[in-house]
Amino acid sequence: MRIVVVEDDISVAKGIGYYLQDAGHTVDLLHEGAEADAFLAHDDADIVVMDINLPGIDGIAILRRMRDRGDTRPVLLLTARSDTGDKVAGLDAGADDYLSKPFEMD
């Protein structure tokens, strides 16, 4: 499976990437909103793991753009925002699931 990880904290992104690669997946790591938005408009990954707080374009805006262009692949939002309102906003924007930081890789 090919997974795109969009995370501005490079050490967190690398940790997730190493874990997923060890599990046999191919991983693309992106760290900025505009970069991720452009990449996701033209790639063929199977799933997206995306932070909300990104420099430039935030993860919610990227997710909305994905859904507006008909992109239905699964998106997991991974963020430090853990309030119920934030979770509802993420799911309403089209996320398939929402995981708050800190989290366990297992």
Side-chain angles (χ1 to χ4, degrees):
M1 181 177 293
R2 194 163 145 249
I3 302 170
V4 176
V5 176
V6 184
E7 168 61 59
D8 63 324
D9 184 321
I10 293 173
S11 63
V12 171
K14 285 182 178 180
I16 294 169
Y18 292 143
Y19 184 87
L20 294 171
Q21 288 172 338
D22 285 348
H25 303 290
T26 301
V27 180
D28 294 296
L29 298 178
L30 304 167
H31 308 292
E32 296 181 5
E35 169 192 36
D37 189 40
F39 183 87
L40 292 168
H42 302 289
D43 78 302
D44 61 353
D46 299 299
I47 188 169
V48 179
V49 177
M50 183 159 38
D51 190 6
I52 291 177
N53 297 321
L54 297 169
I57 305 168
D58 70 55
I60 296 288
I62 295 168
L63 175 58
R64 285 190 179 120
R65 290 177 185 188
M66 290 174 66
R67 297 305 188 229
D68 286 348
R69 63 180 173 258
D71 189 334
T72 60
R73 77 184 114 183
V75 175
L76 167 67
L77 290 178
L78 175 64
T79 181
R81 296 181 184 181
S82 60
D83 292 339
T84 301
D86 292 322
K87 292 177 184 178
V88 169
L91 294 170
D92 283 349
D96 294 275
D97 209 345
Y98 192 106
L99 182 62
S100 299
K101 295 176 190 174
F103 60 94
E104 297 290 328
M105 286 302 295
D106 292 335

